[in-house]
Amino acid sequence: MQLTDVWFAAIAVLWTGYFILEGFDFGVGALLPVLASDDTERRVMINTIGPVWDGNEVWLVTAAGALFAAFPEWYATLFSGFYLPLLVILLALIVRGVAFEYRTKQDSARWRRGWDRCLIAGSIVPAVLWGVAFGNMVRGVRLDARHEYVGGFWELLNPYALVGGLTMLVLFVTHGAIFLALKTEGDIRRKARALAWKAGVVAGVLVAVFLGWGQFHGGSAVSVALGVVAVVAWGLAVAAIAAGREGWAFTASAVAIGVATLTLFAVLYPNVLPAVDPANSLTTTNAASTVKSLRIMTWAAVFFLPLVLLYQSWTYWVFRRRIGVRNIPAGH
């Protein structure tokens, strides 16, 4: 196995971790106006992800950094061709981060409502646009002989990419609802569990359609097998939440999202960004850094990655308990 293949797999794992962890963050934010009946319940929902949301975003930073260092051609073409949607994602994430910090800075219901809207939009917009971006990566885009994107913005809003955006949004909403059912008590828990079951059925259909459609853009036996595993795991998540087994449901939904992400990368391989004209496609070979750069990165990853995983695991262990309205102090 070449180092280029190792780093393609590593980037796939980083994106998998990001979508699993940030996925329920996005879901919780999107569900604020649906599950919370007053400000206290909104505070309960926000506090379930308050200690971990910024740590979850580190996976995105690491994935983008690894992409830049290991496959600079892929990074350059992706971030120039998809400049506008990626810029909107970045702005949405910034607004979302500010909303977490600023919503309690004034004792004003109007102030908090404004920042809650920012939090909701900052959760929904990235979820949809990540699905659109990955849909286009799998489908392929117009690249010239220099591997530069020559298509227009509206070409990115094709049917397959839009199905990808909708799929990712519903997946994350369900994942977030299951997380809330696992982390809260009382009315929020009951409403989250009921919503997770209903949304989960819709998400299951969308996942099957999106991953099945993706096989026609370069699927293999491996990607087909992974897609089946993802759909089965999602079915188990829906069955578990219907049975009131929140822990098993969250585990299964995390596995389903993770395997679904790996399915998309399996469809891509050995391409990293396929072109409409296959001769212009970016592959793990022509988009990669030098062997020396990849070796240095590999040693750095071997040393630092276990430390990051241990620290983040410890964080989740510390904040493992359920919370409810009784845990929220009076005042803003």
Side-chain angles (χ1 to χ4, degrees):
M1 179 180 288
Q2 302 293 322
L3 280 177
T4 53
D5 297 328
V6 171
W7 274 98
F8 179 82
I11 289 170
V13 170
L14 289 170
W15 280 105
T16 297
Y18 174 67
F19 285 144
I20 290 173
L21 297 175
E22 192 78 306
F24 67 76
D25 284 353
F26 288 148
V28 172
L31 289 172
L32 273 182
V34 179
L35 299 182
S37 57
D38 55 31
D39 185 63
T40 303
E41 290 191 346
R42 284 192 289 274
R43 290 167 66 189
V44 171
M45 292 176 63
I46 292 171
N47 284 350
T48 62
I49 59 174
V52 297
W53 71 269
D54 48 355
N56 293 342
E57 287 195 347
V58 171
W59 287 79
L60 173 61
V61 177
T62 308
L67 187 66
F68 170 77
F71 297 99
E73 283 278 346
W74 185 9
Y75 179 94
T77 302
L78 185 66
F79 278 75
S80 59
F82 295 13
Y83 179 80
L84 184 56
L86 292 178
L87 176 62
V88 173
I89 290 173
L90 178 61
L91 293 175
L93 292 177
I94 291 172
V95 169
R96 179 172 172 266
V98 173
F100 276 113
E101 304 296 334
Y102 272 60
R103 77 177 301 276
T104 59
K105 296 302 182 184
Q106 286 189 23
D107 188 10
S108 165
R110 182 179 179 183
W111 172 270
R112 289 192 294 273
R113 282 196 302 270
W115 286 114
D116 285 344
R117 293 189 188 100
C118 293
L119 182 54
I120 295 163
S123 299
I124 294 175
V125 171
V128 172
L129 291 183
W130 281 130
V132 170
F134 271 79
N136 278 290
M137 286 172 56
V138 170
R139 175 181 177 269
V141 293
R142 286 202 295 145
L143 303 178
D144 62 16
R146 296 180 299 173
H147 302 140
E148 294 182 1
Y149 179 66
V150 293
F153 169 74
W154 297 108
E155 290 182 32
L156 299 177
L157 302 180
N158 54 79
Y160 181 66
L162 293 176
V163 170
L166 180 61
T167 301
M168 196 160 286
L169 175 61
V170 181
L171 267 180
F172 289 169
V173 165
T174 309
H175 195 41
I178 294 173
F179 178 77
L180 286 170
L182 177 66
K183 285 288 293 179
T184 60
E185 56 188 29
D187 288 341
I188 297 177
R189 179 187 180 188
R190 287 189 291 272
K191 288 187 288 187
R193 190 159 55 188
L195 177 67
W197 184 86
K198 296 174 183 177
V201 173
V202 177
V205 174
L206 288 171
V207 169
V209 170
F210 183 58
L211 295 183
W213 193 349
Q215 303 302 324
F216 293 97
H217 295 295
S220 62
V222 173
S223 65
V224 170
L226 288 173
V228 171
V229 172
V231 173
V232 171
W234 191 259
L236 293 175
V238 174
I241 196 64
R245 304 295 296 272
E246 292 104 339
W248 285 109
F250 183 75
T251 301
S253 68
V255 169
I257 291 173
V259 177
T261 306
L262 294 177
T263 302
L264 298 179
F265 279 92
V267 172
L268 275 176
Y269 184 82
N271 294 319
V272 293
L273 187 60
V276 174
D277 181 356
N280 297 335
S281 294
L282 282 168
T283 67
T284 55
T285 302
N286 63 21
S289 291
T290 63
V291 174
K292 183 176 182 179
S293 298
L294 294 176
R295 283 175 181 167
I296 294 172
M297 291 172 59
T298 302
W299 283 111
V302 168
F303 179 76
F304 287 109
L305 184 58
L307 297 178
V308 173
L309 292 176
L310 284 172
Y311 175 76
Q312 193 158 29
S313 299
W314 174 78
T315 303
Y316 277 93
W317 176 256
V318 170
F319 294 101
R320 66 188 182 278
R321 298 187 184 279
R322 293 182 184 271
I323 64 172
V325 174
R326 63 185 177 85
N327 302 112
I328 302 299
H332 75 284

